[in-house]
Amino acid sequence: MTDRLGPIPFAQMSASQQVAAQAVIDGPRGALYGPFVPLIRSPELMSAAQRMGEYLRYRSALGTRLTELAILVTARQWSQQVEWAIHAPIAREYGIAEATIAAIAERRQPVGLPADEALVLEFCLQLHQQQRVDDATYAAALAAFGEHGVVDLMGINGYYTFLAMVMNAAQTAVPGTAAPLLPD
C-alpha cells in the first residue's frame, strides 16, 4: 500500500502550511505525524481539526484512560492501523488492561471490565455499529459522565472517525512500533 499523501518537507510547504504545521509541532504532540501528514494539504482544516483533537485527547471530561479506550474502539471499527499503533500503547500506559486491548483488536467482547470502561465500550460500539445509542445506555452514560462527558464521548468518536477516514483514504503509513497492529 502506497502512502498517497506522504510527508512534505517543511521548506517545501506553503506559508500557510508552515504556520499550521508549526502550531502542531509547538503543541503537545511535538511533531507533525499521523493524520496531520495528509491534512497539511488543507492547512485551515488541519488547524481546526488539531485544535479539536488537542481538547478531546488531552483535556476531555472523560479523562485520558476512558478517552483512549474510546479511541481504540474507533480505530478498530475503521481498521485504522495508525490510530491503533499510536493509541494502544497510550491506553495501556493509562490503565486499559492488555486483555481488553487484545479483545477489541480481535473484535471480541472484553470480559471483566470496570463499570466505566464497559459503559464507554458499549456506548461507542452502539454509536459506530447502529449509528445511535439506545435509551438505557445513554441514560447510564449521562448518570456516569454528565452531559459534558457524554458530549465529549460523542466528539471523541466523531473526531477519531474523521481522522480514520482521512488516513484510510490517504493510506497513511503506520509509524514504526513494537506494538502489535490490528489483525485483518
Side-chain angles (χ1 to χ4, degrees), residues 27-51:
R29 291 178 182 88
L32 194 71
Y33 61 91
F36 302 105
V37 172
L39 282 171
I40 194 63
R41 274 71 177 186
S42 179
E44 189 171 350
L45 175 61
M46 189 189 83
S47 294
Q50 85 86 19
R51 283 190 307 276

Side-chain angles (χ1 to χ4, degrees), residues 4-184:
R4 293 175 171 158
L5 296 169
I8 300 171
F10 194 83
Q12 293 178 14
M13 291 180 187
S14 70
S16 60
Q17 288 174 321
Q18 287 180 348
V19 168
Q22 197 62 54
V24 172
I25 293 164
D26 291 343
R29 291 178 182 88
L32 194 71
Y33 61 91
F36 302 105
V37 172
L39 282 171
I40 194 63
R41 274 71 177 186
S42 179
E44 189 171 350
L45 175 61
M46 189 189 83
S47 294
Q50 85 86 19
R51 283 190 307 276
M52 181 188 298
E54 187 176 307
Y55 167 73
L56 291 170
R57 181 172 174 192
Y58 299 105
R59 298 186 310 277
S60 93
L62 294 176
T64 304
R65 179 177 56 90
L66 296 177
T67 294
E68 291 298 328
L69 177 62
I71 294 168
L72 291 186
V73 174
T74 302
R76 175 66 277 183
Q77 292 299 301
W78 284 88
S79 298
Q80 195 3 264
Q81 297 288 8
V82 176
E83 280 179 352
W84 190 267
I86 292 168
H87 291 280
I90 298 169
R92 197 174 293 111
E93 176 184 332
Y94 280 91
I96 302 298
E98 186 60 43
T100 300
I101 295 169
I104 292 168
E106 297 165 9
R107 297 186 191 272
R108 291 184 290 107
Q109 180 66 36
V111 295
L113 291 176
D116 59 351
E117 290 180 18
L119 182 54
V120 166
L121 178 74
E122 182 60 26
F123 189 102
C124 295
L125 288 173
Q126 285 186 25
L127 192 55
H128 284 289
Q129 295 172 355
Q130 300 168 16
Q131 292 80 50
R132 61 189 36 85
V133 176
D134 66 37
D135 289 342
T137 302
Y138 185 86
L142 190 61
F145 310 124
E147 287 182 340
H148 186 174
V150 168
V151 170
D152 281 3
L153 182 56
M154 291 183 285
I156 292 161
N157 281 268
Y159 176 73
Y160 283 91
T161 293
F162 161 67
L163 297 184
M165 293 172 87
V166 167
M167 290 186 287
N168 283 353
Q171 298 181 4
T172 302
V174 179
T177 179
L181 296 178
L182 290 168
D184 290 332

